[in-house]
Amino acid sequence: MNRVRELIPYFRRYRGRLISGLTSILLSVALGLLTPIVVGRAVDTFVEDPSRRTLLTYAGLLVGITLVQGIFIFLQRLLLVTMSRNIEFDLRNEYFAHLEKLPLSFYQRNYTGDLMARGTNDLQAVRMLCGPAIMYSANTLFTATGALFFMFRIHAGLALLALFTLPLVAVATKVFGQRIHRLFQKVQEQFSAISTNVQENLAGGRVVRAYAQEEAELLRFEKLNTEYVERNRRLIRWTAAFHPLLHGLVGLGFVAVLWYGGGLVARGVITVGQFVTFTFFLSRLVWPMIAIGWVINLVQRGSASLGRILEVLDTVPEIRDEPPLVDGEHIRGAITLDNLSFAWEVDGQPVLSQIDLEVEAGKTVAIVGRTGAGKSTLLSLIPRLADPPEASVFVDGIDVRRFPLTDLRSAVAAVPQETFLFSSTLGENIALGRPEASRSELEAAALAAGLGEEMEGFSNGLDTLVGERGITLSGGQKQRVALARALLKDSPVLLLDDCLSAVDTHTEEQILSNLREIFEERTVLLVSHRISTVKEADLIMVLDEGRVAERGRHDDLVREDGIYADLHHRQLLEEELAAV
Ligand SMILES: Nc1ncnc2c1ncn2[C@@H]1O[C@H](COP(=O)(O)OP(=O)(O)OP(=O)(O)O)[C@@H](O)[C@H]1O
Ligand SMILES: [Mg+2]
């Protein structure tokens, strides 16, 4: 609740709008309160002088007041709703920018659906807090104060009598408000459940169909949806009862006012006109009473949602620039691992233990090892996707933690084991790291990655759209697009994590021989399960359970008769069998 204060800096930016918006509300309310007074006067005057002229004068006056009031109502909405949209805009940008900064580990702890909900539903609730909630509470406050002031001026006793139902109204607002708030939360929770279900079903559509689970999924969805409607029904029953109840309670006040006020008029204590004015003011109070409950609701929801958004914004990115920094604009690409040990969790099982490695700039080192040996983990430490311990990973002899993150990551082009393509064109996917690249550079990268046939075959070449996550491409095509993306980035360090595993051996060999020249100019760390891929490397390192088991060139390792030699023999055998 008190975190609402943290919104103040956002309002400060739009101070002018806020002040003129509130002034517009004040003026429109003031004009609105003038109407009952004018009507009262008109009645009194008309009783004494029932001429056409009086009628026209007062009618004209009322129309004039209403017109000017209309302008201010227009202005207040324009100013305050725009302000709330601007604050929403700022918050959304900040939220997204922050999400971009948070490291891998954050996304392992949080669900996509939940983060999306915070950026949409919750943000919407905060906007309601910044705009409508302010607008309606100011309206309510001004109207109630003004109306009560005039009612008491007309006749204090009558005013007190009119308000005798007020405590009842307060109790009803509290009881109904709490109930409605709780029911509303339940509706929102159910909505989240439906969204999560839809999101997973869309993303996992292939699996659902492959296992013929459409019926089961439909049933599950129907159940969620039915529950959603049921919860909404409960909410509607309470909100539907709430408004007539308030009207009824205020109506009781009217009855009392009519009975006692009629007597006052008869005895000449107040005029007919004053009585009319009084009842007008009383009816003006109904709306603020309804609005109070509503505003309380908006504030509760808005502050709860704000808390959820701030929770994400407060998460400090674990991986960030930590001064003192050194300039990283001219990284050459020598890589050193010095007694590197790493665990994914604090005090967790080490995934890498005491690894030493020296790679001169321009050399190619291959890393092989059983699944789960720690190969991908090792590669992720170089561009600091996960943070290595101090003084264990060096580039050009400098601890990677001393480079500005952007410099370090510009110097490293990585093809991760699992490719991810965006739902844009082939070309745009390739140009991710260098959007300014020319068409011919794009084509060269695509060619080098073995996409020549695709460029010819696809109707729109590089402008072909690839569908969500590249769903319209084959596994091997996706991998080659990811490779082209890394090649185009033209960075001194190239990390290839099993990046052609879905491409057949023959095509892979072709691609690699294309890349030989490119490899000569860069430092390459190459992970693969295939001996044919790694045998040309300057050095081959065999990882086993996070430790370096063997290292050397292909021929030496084959002679050594260890894990590598074993792998080599098995793959030779497989090839021979395949050839038969
Ligand atoms: N993000 C992560 N969080 C926690 N543990 C992880 C994470 N990534 C990998 N691990 C664990 O670290 C160990 C090494 O995984 P890694 O992905 O480095 O293996 P790999 O050698 O690349 O295997 P593969 O050949 O199957 O790709 C595994 O036991 C795995 O469970
Ligand atoms: Mg891996």
Side-chain angles (χ1 to χ4, degrees):
M1 188 74 189
N2 45 17
R3 298 205 76 178
V4 173
R5 250 182 292 143
E6 294 178 44
L7 278 175
I8 293 175
Y10 294 91
F11 281 109
R12 212 164 267 153
R13 265 175 252 174
Y14 306 103
R15 196 188 292 145
R17 267 175 201 285
L18 181 62
I19 293 173
S20 19
L22 289 176
T23 314
S24 302
I25 294 182
L26 192 60
L27 291 175
S28 76
V29 168
L31 287 169
L33 290 176
L34 217 55
T35 325
I37 298 176
V38 172
V39 173
R41 282 278 157 78
V43 170
D44 280 345
T45 319
F46 207 64
V47 170
E48 282 164 22
D49 169 26
S51 71
R52 213 180 148 77
R53 232 180 71 100
T54 352
L55 193 64
L56 280 178
T57 316
Y58 278 104
L61 197 58
L62 282 177
V63 170
I65 289 175
T66 312
L67 277 180
V68 182
Q69 190 194 5
I71 294 174
F72 285 118
I73 292 179
F74 170 74
L75 279 180
Q76 76 185 45
R77 287 198 83 88
L78 188 73
L79 290 162
L80 293 178
V81 174
T82 315
M83 177 191 73
S84 72
R85 288 283 178 202
N86 285 337
I87 293 178
E88 180 194 11
F89 172 84
D90 293 344
L91 263 171
R92 179 180 290 132
N93 275 340
E94 203 178 313
Y95 183 73
F96 186 70
H98 198 73
L99 284 182
E100 292 277 297
K101 263 189 273 171
L102 290 170
L104 239 48
S105 53
F106 176 82
Y107 294 95
Q108 288 172 356
R109 289 193 304 268
N110 292 279
Y111 295 98
T112 312
D114 179 56
L115 293 175
M116 298 277 288
R118 291 178 199 228
T120 50
N121 266 9
D122 286 314
L123 195 57
Q124 179 64 17
V126 173
R127 187 188 78 79
M128 294 299 278
L129 176 68
C130 295
I134 289 185
M135 203 156 69
Y136 293 122
S137 36
N139 250 314
T140 300
L141 187 73
F142 296 157
T143 308
T145 319
L148 285 175
F149 173 76
F150 286 117
M151 284 163 74
F152 273 91
R153 261 190 54 156
I154 291 172
H155 195 274
L158 193 60
L160 280 177
L161 183 68
L163 296 179
F164 87 97
T165 52
L166 206 60
L168 286 178
V169 172
V171 171
T173 309
K174 194 167 157 59
V175 172
F176 275 75
Q178 278 176 348
R179 189 76 198 201
I180 290 172
H181 180 64
R182 234 174 310 141
L183 288 173
F184 185 80
Q185 264 180 335
K186 291 231 155 101
V187 167
Q188 287 294 82
E189 279 165 20
Q190 191 60 19
F191 183 75
S192 279
I194 289 188
S195 310
T196 307
N197 185 270
V198 170
Q199 193 234 329
E200 276 200 332
N201 261 282
L202 291 181
R206 281 187 179 189
V207 182
V208 172
R209 279 171 199 58
Y211 283 78
Q213 288 302 302
E214 293 96 327
E215 279 292 318
E217 287 298 324
L218 270 179
L219 275 180
R220 193 145 56 146
F221 185 74
E222 217 171 271
K223 241 166 96 180
L224 288 173
N225 212 0
T226 313
E227 174 66 22
Y228 181 62
V229 174
E230 191 40 54
R231 288 185 186 190
N232 263 313
R233 278 215 191 97
R234 255 172 267 156
L235 177 64
I236 293 167
R237 275 201 286 275
W238 281 80
T239 42
F242 185 42
H243 288 200
L245 183 72
L246 278 186
H247 277 281
L249 287 175
V250 177
L252 278 181
F254 264 107
V255 174
V257 165
L258 222 56
W259 168 71
Y260 179 57
L264 287 177
V265 174
R267 277 182 277 127
V269 183
I270 57 173
T271 66
V272 179
Q274 280 178 318
F275 184 66
V276 170
T277 307
F278 189 92
T279 48
F280 255 82
F281 277 131
L282 186 57
S283 64
R284 285 284 158 90
L285 285 181
V286 179
W287 160 241
M289 284 178 200
I290 295 176
I292 287 174
W294 201 54
V295 165
I296 290 175
N297 197 344
L298 283 187
V299 171
Q300 280 178 337
R301 280 172 49 203
S303 56
S305 289
L306 180 68
R308 279 163 52 82
I309 295 174
L310 290 176
E311 197 185 351
V312 174
L313 289 180
D314 285 347
T315 314
V316 181
E318 292 147 34
I319 300 179
R320 56 179 189 273
D321 288 343
E322 289 163 75
L325 295 173
V326 300
D327 181 21
E329 265 183 53
H330 304 288
I331 289 177
R332 287 173 49 249
I335 296 174
T336 312
L337 307 181
D338 183 11
N339 197 22
L340 165 67
S341 297
F342 177 82
W344 277 104
E345 280 147 37
V346 187
D347 300 328
Q349 195 77 10
V351 175
L352 297 171
S353 304
Q354 298 164 4
I355 296 184
D356 289 309
L357 180 71
E358 190 80 45
V359 191
E360 285 170 37
K363 295 285 182 200
T364 298
V365 172
I367 304 170
V368 294
R370 270 193 283 270
T371 173
K375 306 179 292 294
S376 300
T377 304
L378 195 155
L379 291 196
S380 68
L381 297 177
I382 295 169
R384 287 182 72 194
L385 295 176
D387 235 356
E390 293 267 357
S392 53
V393 179
F394 300 83
V395 167
D396 290 355
I398 294 166
D399 188 343
V400 283
R401 299 174 65 127
R402 296 279 72 81
F403 289 115
L405 264 182
T406 34
D407 287 355
L408 177 68
R409 291 182 181 166
S410 307
V412 178
V415 185
Q417 193 163 18
E418 284 187 23
T419 49
F420 185 92
L421 301 188
F422 293 90
S423 54
S424 54
T425 64
L426 271 184
E428 280 169 300
N429 265 297
I430 295 174
L432 182 72
R434 260 184 66 202
E436 76 289 354
S438 72
R439 189 77 183 181
S440 56
E441 286 174 309
L442 267 185
E443 280 167 6
L447 263 186
L451 283 168
E453 262 180 48
E454 280 77 7
M455 277 199 292
E456 303 261 303
F458 288 167
S459 51
N460 288 323
L462 285 178
D463 297 321
T464 309
L465 283 168
V466 299
E468 201 174 38
R469 296 178 192 206
I471 199 159
T472 53
L473 298 184
S474 78
Q477 282 168 339
K478 270 188 276 195
Q479 285 192 331
R480 279 172 287 149
V481 174
L483 177 62
R485 182 189 276 168
L487 293 176
L488 182 73
K489 203 175 158 198
D490 205 13
S491 308
V493 178
L494 192 56
L495 307 178
L496 307 178
D497 192 353
D498 211 8
C499 72
L500 291 170
S501 58
V503 176
D504 64 82
T505 323
H506 175 68
T507 315
E508 179 179 15
E509 268 170 32
Q510 264 184 339
I511 296 174
L512 286 175
S513 67
N514 285 345
L515 292 181
R516 205 132 290 151
E517 258 176 54
I518 296 179
F519 279 14
E520 304 246 302
E521 299 161 3
R522 310 186 191 188
T523 312
V524 182
L525 294 193
L526 178 68
V527 169
S528 178
H529 288 281
R530 286 186 192 147
I531 298 293
S532 55
T533 311
V534 301
K535 65 175 188 242
E536 309 279 346
D538 298 307
L539 177 77
I540 298 164
M541 180 163 85
V542 183
L543 278 188
D544 194 34
E545 292 182 5
R547 292 174 185 278
V548 181
E550 299 162 18
R551 73 170 83 206
R553 295 189 63 104
H554 174 77
D555 296 332
D556 307 330
L557 289 178
V558 171
R559 246 177 275 125
E560 225 172 76
D561 223 14
I563 300 175
Y564 186 86
D566 187 44
L567 196 65
H568 177 56
H569 291 312
R570 262 188 291 140
Q571 292 191 2
L572 275 185
L573 209 63
E574 277 168 23
E575 263 175 48
E576 276 170 30
L577 285 173
V580 171

